[in-house]
Amino acid sequence: MTNSGIQVTEEDITGITADAIVNAANNSLLGGGGVDGAIHRAAGPGLLAECRTLGGCPTGEARITRGYNLLAAWIIHTVGPVWRGGSQEEPELLARCYRSCFSLAREHGIRTIAFPAISTGVYGYPKKEAARIAVREARQALAENGQLATILFACFNSDTRRAYDKALTEP
Ligand code: APR
């Protein structure tokens, strides 16, 4: 098990310089609260205009747009599962979010990518389990994709930061 290429930080994802930052969006892709709201505010109206052309996004899938006023060149929007107790395929859908983002990253030659803790806010996914899935998929992506250099988990509170730090100590 290796964590090289994975970083955890506690900061606002909209201030991060990476090739791509990931947005925890909803199925409409037309903005919302949480990190979705922060990204749309920081990126500016051009982002919403482009999102309107995408026709939404099913849970577990991802769509890519320009970064507009963000430092990142790209924004990858993914829609995580709402936590309903864990027996409605939530783990599989969350894992699929990460894989969908990584496959768009590969297609666009993205070398550095920052993620929020998808689904762990409004969508209520338990932080520990979500962090385990995120770290597992990140390790897999780094092993499979030689052009991917850095995956950064941008935590927005200390509970989330602790969940990721712990997940990184596990095999
Ligand atoms: N930078 C980094 N992380 C952030 C930021 C930010 N600026 N703002 C919030 N977060 C964190 C939250 O603290 C949480 O840990 O992002 C994580 C995901 O929380 P949400 O943004 O609530 O996303 P999610 O749980 O996936 O719910 C998605 O919320 O905002 C709406 O439109 C969105 O309907 C969708 C739903």
Side-chain angles (χ1 to χ4, degrees):
M1 173 274 287
T2 168
N3 290 327
S4 69
I6 297 176
Q7 293 172 17
V8 181
T9 176
E10 198 169 332
E11 67 184 289
D12 184 329
I13 201 166
T14 60
I16 287 179
T17 306
D19 296 339
I21 66 164
V22 174
N23 181 22
N26 59 54
N27 296 114
S28 75
L29 292 185
L30 300 180
V35 71
D36 195 4
I39 287 173
H40 274 271
R41 271 192 303 281
L47 175 58
L48 184 57
E50 183 174 356
C51 285
R52 284 194 202 290
T53 69
L54 300 178
C57 180
T59 300
E61 292 191 22
R63 300 289 185 268
I64 192 164
T65 66
R66 291 283 174 199
Y68 297 94
N69 301 336
L70 286 183
L71 299 169
W74 303 99
I75 302 169
I76 295 177
H77 308 257
T78 191
V79 183
V82 175
W83 178 255
R84 293 191 168 89
S87 58
Q88 314 264 325
E89 300 218 328
E90 296 97 318
E92 294 74 19
L93 283 166
L94 185 60
R96 203 181 305 160
C97 282
Y98 286 95
R99 290 187 201 134
S100 303
C101 293
F102 287 124
S103 91
L104 281 172
R106 179 198 288 268
E107 280 169 39
H108 289 76
I110 286 164
R111 297 175 36 76
T112 60
I113 183 167
F115 285 88
I118 299 165
S119 279
T120 66
V122 167
Y123 282 2
Y125 209 111
K127 293 179 176 52
K128 248 172 67 179
E129 283 71 13
R132 268 204 207 108
I133 289 170
V135 166
R136 183 192 73 207
E137 294 305 324
R139 286 170 177 160
Q140 182 72 18
L142 285 161
E144 282 171 358
N145 177 355
Q147 74 182 7
L148 193 56
T150 306
I151 298 169
L152 198 146
F153 290 116
C155 304
F156 206 52
N157 53 59
S158 50
D159 283 354
T160 305
R161 167 89 203 227
R162 267 194 295 278
Y164 277 89
D165 286 343
K166 175 131 179 37
L168 287 172
T169 65
E170 294 163 356

